[in-house]
Each structure stands twice: as C-alpha cells, then as structure tokens.
Amino acid sequence: MVTTHGNPTDPSAFMTSFHSASEPFIHHQATLLDKLQTPIWIFDIERERMHYVNAAAVRLWAAETPQELYARDFSSTMSETSRQRLADYLPRLARGEVIDEHWSFYPGGQAISLHCRCSPCVMDDGRPGMLVEGLESDISLDASSLRALEAVRHTPMMVSVFDGQGRLLVRNAAALAARRTLTSLDACFAEHEVAERLIQQLEDAPRCSLEAIMRVDDSERWHHVDLCRATDPKTGLPMIVMGEFDITSRKTLETAQLVSKRQLEVVIEGLDVGLLLEDEQRRVIVVNQAFCDLFGIEAPPENLVGMDCREAAQSAKGHFTEPEGFVDRIEDLLASRRKQSRDLLTMVDGRFLERAYTPLFVADEYHGHLWVYRDITRQRHQEADWARKASTDPLTGLANRRSFDESARRLARSVGEEAIPAALLMIDIDRFKAINDTLGHAEGDKGLRLLADTLRHNLRERDLPCRTGGEEFMVIMPGMLPEQAEATAWRLLRQIAEATIEAEELPFHFTVSIGVTCFKPTDRSIEAVTQRADAAMYQAKHAGRNRVAVRW
C-alpha cells in the first residue's frame, strides 16, 4: 500500500503517490483532488497536452469533462513566447526546482490571470511532466500591471532581472532565446569587470546606460544596455533590471566611416574592376577609371559625378545583346534592394561582364547602392574550352562517353516524366581489328573520323552522335519513334558502306553493324537501354554483319 506523507490536503503530496500505486488508490487520490477548490493539472511540455486535471481545473479551462481537455490541442493557440518560456522550465524542473510565476490564460476567449506554482513530476511513461497549482497571489496586480507584464514577456527587447549581487532572477523570452546558459550579470558581458563596475555604479545612481560588447550564446554582439536599480516586490531586497538591444550593425557602419574619403578614392582607383556608386536618387557619387574603360567613356571619372544614372543606363544599353533586359534587370535589383553577387552580361562585341549589386544601408536606412563590373571574357572562353575538352572525343570531335552518359540520363528522365519518344543506336565497325592490323592504326583512325563525319552530316540537328569506345559509337535520338529510328539506321548503314577511305596504299571501304532500341518509361536505369542496344548490335553481327537489328 502507498502512503502519503505530509499535509493530507497538499496537492503535491497527493501527486507524488500517483506513480506505482494501485488503481483503487489512484482513483481515491483523484477523488480527493477533485474536492479541492484549487485548480490542479499536469501538463506535458514536450507534447503540449494536458496529462491530468482535477475538477477545479476543468472549470478554470472552460471544459465540460477532463477528457475534453486531454484531447485539446494547446499547440494551436500557444504563442511562441509561451512555448519559449515552457522550454526554459524543462531543465529547471529536471533539477527539482519549484517555479512560482504569474501566467495569463485565455480559456473560451476570456482572460484569466493566475499565480502558478510549477513543480516537477514524472508521468506514467517515465517522461518529465509539470504539476501546476493555480494559487491565490499575495501580490495584487491591476489591469495596467498585467498588461505591462505581458508586454515585457513579448517585446523583442532583451529584459533580464538580477538580484543585488548579479545573480539571475528572471528574463523575458527574447533574453532567454539569446542566452540560455548564462545566469549571472557578469557572464552577459564580454569583459566581466564591466559588470562589476556597473553594480558599484548602481549603488550611487538609480540608473545607467552604456554600449558594450555582450555575449549572445557562442558569439559576441554590440548592445545598447540600460540598467536600473529597483526593489524585489517579493522579498523587498535590491534587484537590477537590465534592458538591451542589438546595435552591431550601427557600430559596424560607424567603424567603416572612419576611413577618409581620400583613402577610399585611392583604393577605388587601384582596383581593376569597374565601380559605380549611386545615391538613393540614382545620381553618381563615385565612379572609377576602370568603369569608364569598360564602357568606352572618354570623359574622366570626376566629370560623371552628379549624372542621372537612369539616362546613363538607357544610353549604355546598346552595348549588350539584350538591351531591354539590361535595363529591366537594373530596375528589378533596385526594387528588391537585396545584394546580388553575380549577374552575367553578354556584350555585342563578344565580351562578357560580371555585375554585382550591393544596396547600402546606414542604421537600416537606405542610402544608395554600389555596382561592380568585371570583365570575365577570358575566364568564360577558358571555361568553355575546358568544358568542350571534357565532353569531346579528341580524335573524332564527337561527344565522348561522359557526355553520352549525362545526355542519356537527362533524356531518360524526360521519357519517364513526359512520355516523349526517344531512340538509341549502337554502331560498331565490322572487323575493325583487321583494318588496324592490315593497314595500321593511322588508317584505322581515318575510318573512325570518316564514320564520325558521316554521322555528323546525316543526322538531325537535335540528335547526338557519340564515340563511346574504340570502334563503338552511340546516337541519342530524342523525339524519334521506333519505326523512324530503324529507317534512319538502315540509311546510315548504306551511307557508311558507300563512303571511301583514301588510304596511302589503296582506297578501301568498311561496314558497320547497328543495334536499335528505344527509351522506355519503365527503364530503371540508362544501363537497361544500352544493354538492349548492345544485344541488338551483336544480333546484327551474328546475322552476318553490315546490317541492322532491333530490340524494343
């Protein structure tokens, strides 16, 4: 039998006997709790659900039955501030702390203000729960005080309260989100001695303000900090109230403004990128010589200061392959005022420019924007050359195996998603080893190039011929029906057989065997398609070569 020690009318004592007790005993305890006028409930913080309520709590929460409260979804009406507050409770309850705080509830849309004593308890499944007792408050709060309390809880300003020695008493949701583990006044400051000086200063003055580097989780930020001396309404002892807000952006801008105008001009002129700084009315503030060189402007940079940039953009748009797009993109960037680090511009003279846009804000106020232009023509040509070499067979100039795999997989996805037709040809030169052994590899290479030229000149523009092996070629044919693909294969077979290789000794001909298949929406991989084409090609070989075989 489970016994309850202590005051028999103490709700906490009743609840401690709930766990590991017999069902009749639990029923007896619940009956006693229902006789109390004090609302008692157990709240599951992790799942945001009621776990137990007595009769007084059912009335408080404007419910008909306890089961109605157990089924109620409190997460749908809980504010983020309340959720943050409860998250702070969990580790404190786990340490065995009893938390006394004022709460406002809104059952049925009616506001109820209640002093709550929150104690740790263990629920049936072993997870931590929170036992809440709604108590009469020994501090009477009028409507204005309650509203002020709610405002402090919901304000984005960080508000913390410490005792006279700098130990944390309470903090609002904003301060809690910024620093969960820092529980003393000196720990909030990057320099602990600053807090010591402030505590001493508040002994002589009721309030003080400063700008300081504060610790926020694992980082440091500049904050404006206001502190005042007050009296704890619960204990009558001195306490310290600290309010703070982030001013890191302003301090960063102030530091940047220490650079003189002349130093900035020297830096700008030394850069090899074109810079254009405009004010909020789109008038030129600063422009460098590199910008003038990019756009062929003969006037010196200082003569452009004050120019209307709208008119300048209209006059410069003729330099670009998409003139209206050049102007429209500028307007889009200015409207969004979001940093854009890369825009590629193609010029009519074949050059490529990279443009970056940066809006300028001072204390969150818009003060114009910076354009940066860089000539990347050489880089683009080099990248294109690298890409071409990486995807091209050096002997024949056709796409290589890597390019084939990428293109085939893209086409296979399109076939599966859009159900478009597509075909694949696998072409292999007949008795190619004999050609190499008899005439030499140089003549064999001529045959490979001749086959590549035949494919290149006798296929549709959208088809992709590839050299995927020594004498093996593939042709990817999007939008091609099976019967069309087979007819194309026979036509290519004849054209290849009729082509002549001008060898050093005697001209000669060669033939090929072609396997034809199609892409199917049910193919699980590109290998399934190539295996069918390979099987068809070997079927043509075994049937005597110089012929076409199909596998659908």
Side-chain angles (χ1 to χ4, degrees):
M1 178 176 179
V2 179
T3 59
T4 304
H5 302 287
N7 183 355
T9 62
D10 180 5
S12 298
F14 279 125
M15 298 311 298
T16 58
S17 65
F18 262 31
H19 305 287
S20 72
S22 63
E23 185 175 344
F25 182 78
I26 294 176
H27 178 74
H28 174 67
Q29 297 284 59
T31 302
L32 291 176
L33 288 174
D34 282 339
K35 292 181 179 180
L36 296 176
Q37 298 303 308
T38 300
I40 305 291
W41 66 90
I42 294 179
F43 191 71
D44 185 340
I45 295 177
E46 293 179 349
R47 297 178 180 173
E48 299 180 351
R49 297 276 181 174
M50 284 291 189
H51 186 70
Y52 166 80
V53 291
N54 71 348
V58 172
R59 293 191 296 273
L60 170 73
W61 286 98
E64 295 292 332
T65 64
Q67 287 70 28
E68 179 187 338
L69 275 178
Y70 301 153
R72 185 176 296 179
D73 181 11
F74 285 85
S75 64
S76 62
T77 58
M78 186 181 298
S79 69
E80 191 57 37
T81 300
S82 298
R83 189 172 284 109
Q84 191 80 275
R85 191 175 171 191
L86 289 174
D88 180 49
Y89 278 16
L90 273 176
R92 297 169 63 185
L93 293 169
R95 294 193 297 267
E97 183 178 345
V98 176
I99 305 168
D100 283 289
E101 286 193 5
H102 209 92
W103 279 83
S104 294
F105 306 112
Y106 306 91
Q110 299 297 316
I112 296 177
S113 183
L114 198 65
H115 182 85
C116 294
R117 174 164 295 163
C118 305
S119 307
C121 69
V122 180
M123 296 185 294
D124 298 337
D125 58 3
R127 291 184 305 104
M130 179 177 68
L131 170 64
V132 184
E133 305 168 56
L135 305 173
E136 291 289 338
S137 175
D138 55 354
I139 302 177
S140 178
L141 296 178
D142 57 19
S144 296
S145 299
L146 287 172
R147 288 166 183 157
L149 183 59
E150 285 300 297
V152 170
R153 285 172 176 163
H154 288 82
T155 180
M157 174 183 284
M158 297 166 57
V159 181
S160 306
V161 181
F162 304 88
D163 65 15
Q165 284 71 48
R167 294 186 293 264
L168 179 67
L169 296 176
V170 68
R171 56 171 50 125
N172 72 345
L176 176 64
R179 48 174 88 101
R180 290 186 176 277
T181 60
L182 306 180
T183 58
S184 64
L185 182 64
D186 63 344
C188 297
F189 288 82
E191 300 179 5
H192 292 178
E193 57 271 19
V194 174
E196 297 174 3
R197 291 199 302 268
L198 291 172
I199 292 176
Q200 295 175 357
Q201 186 176 343
L202 287 172
E203 293 178 357
D204 302 321
R207 63 180 64 250
C208 63
S209 298
L210 75 158
E211 294 178 353
I213 300 176
M214 307 294 286
R215 293 179 60 194
V216 178
D217 290 333
D218 296 329
S219 63
E220 295 183 350
R221 307 280 294 178
W222 273 99
H223 284 189
H224 177 89
V225 184
D226 292 304
L227 299 103
C228 68
R229 188 180 65 223
T231 302
D232 190 333
K234 180 73 175 179
T235 65
L237 297 174
M239 68 180 190
I240 299 171
V241 180
M242 181 172 74
E244 50 187 314
F245 56 88
D246 196 310
I247 59 168
T248 305
S249 298
R250 177 172 66 79
K251 296 295 288 188
T252 302
L253 287 172
E254 287 177 353
T255 301
Q257 289 172 351
L258 296 177
V259 180
S260 69
K261 180 181 178 181
R262 181 55 191 156
Q263 288 173 317
L264 182 60
E265 290 174 350
V266 170
V267 171
I268 289 174
E269 287 305 321
L271 296 174
D272 61 355
V273 296
L275 299 181
L276 173 63
L277 181 63
E278 303 177 15
D279 64 17
E280 56 271 30
Q281 281 79 41
R282 298 207 59 195
R283 298 282 178 179
V284 176
I285 300 175
V286 177
V287 64
N288 68 350
Q289 185 61 49
F291 178 89
C292 296
D293 294 340
L294 284 175
F295 289 93
I297 301 173
E298 296 181 357
E302 56 269 20
N303 288 7
L304 304 182
V305 175
M307 178 184 293
D308 187 333
C309 293
R310 293 182 182 83
E311 296 179 1
Q314 288 292 337
S315 62
K317 68 182 183 181
H319 290 289
F320 301 95
T321 57
E322 298 182 9
E324 297 305 324
F326 168 75
V327 175
D328 292 343
R329 179 60 174 159
I330 289 176
E331 297 300 329
D332 289 343
L333 291 170
L334 293 176
S336 67
R337 292 184 181 176
R338 290 194 299 269
K339 183 176 180 180
Q340 176 66 31
S341 60
R342 182 185 176 92
D343 258 345
L344 179 64
L345 306 174
T346 306
M347 307 189 74
V348 295
D349 60 5
R351 288 183 296 154
F352 295 93
L353 298 186
E354 183 181 81
R355 177 179 60 194
Y357 164 77
T358 304
L360 304 180
F361 291 90
V362 178
D364 295 331
E365 184 176 348
Y366 176 65
H367 282 278
H369 43 271
L370 173 69
W371 300 102
V372 179
Y373 289 86
R374 185 164 65 96
D375 190 330
I376 59 169
T377 305
R378 179 179 297 178
Q379 175 186 330
R380 291 285 295 183
H381 288 167
Q382 190 173 53
E383 289 173 352
D385 185 55
W386 288 340
R388 182 185 59 78
K389 290 179 179 178
S391 61
T392 303
D393 173 54
L395 176 64
T396 63
L398 297 182
N400 61 11
R401 181 75 198 207
R402 173 183 174 182
S403 182
F404 167 79
D405 288 341
E406 294 174 354
S407 301
R409 287 191 172 89
R410 284 197 302 268
L411 182 57
R413 284 195 297 270
S414 299
V415 170
E417 295 169 0
E418 305 172 22
I420 64 172
L424 178 67
L425 307 185
M426 179 177 285
I427 305 171
D428 190 87
I429 298 177
D430 295 330
R431 297 185 175 89
F432 186 69
K433 184 177 183 303
I435 295 175
N436 279 336
D437 292 345
T438 303
L439 301 176
H441 287 280
E443 301 304 325
D445 288 348
K446 289 182 181 179
L448 295 173
R449 286 193 289 268
L450 177 63
L451 175 54
D453 289 340
T454 303
L455 295 177
R456 189 181 292 112
H457 298 141
N458 292 281
L459 290 170
R460 302 174 305 173
E461 186 174 349
R462 62 193 301 194
D463 296 332
L464 180 65
C466 312
R467 184 190 178 197
T468 54
E471 67 270 25
E472 180 184 273
F473 292 74
M474 297 271 202
V475 181
I476 299 173
M477 310 177 81
M480 180 72 78
L481 295 171
E483 57 272 18
Q484 294 173 323
E486 184 177 2
T488 300
W490 280 108
R491 176 172 54 80
L492 290 172
L493 189 83
R494 291 190 298 272
Q495 290 169 333
I496 294 168
E498 293 169 359
T500 301
I501 298 178
E502 296 296 335
E504 291 184 1
E505 298 296 331
L506 291 172
F508 69 92
H509 302 266
F510 65 89
T511 63
V512 297
S513 297
I514 303 179
V516 186
T517 190
C518 60
F519 288 79
K520 299 178 181 179
T522 56
D523 286 329
R524 295 186 177 274
S525 67
I526 186 59
E527 286 74 18
V529 186
T530 57
Q531 285 173 3
R532 285 198 304 273
D534 187 66
M537 187 270 294
Y538 275 103
Q539 180 181 335
K541 292 277 190 188
H542 294 153
R545 298 184 177 85
N546 191 26
R547 65 191 61 224
V548 173
V550 299
R551 285 284 181 95
W552 305 122

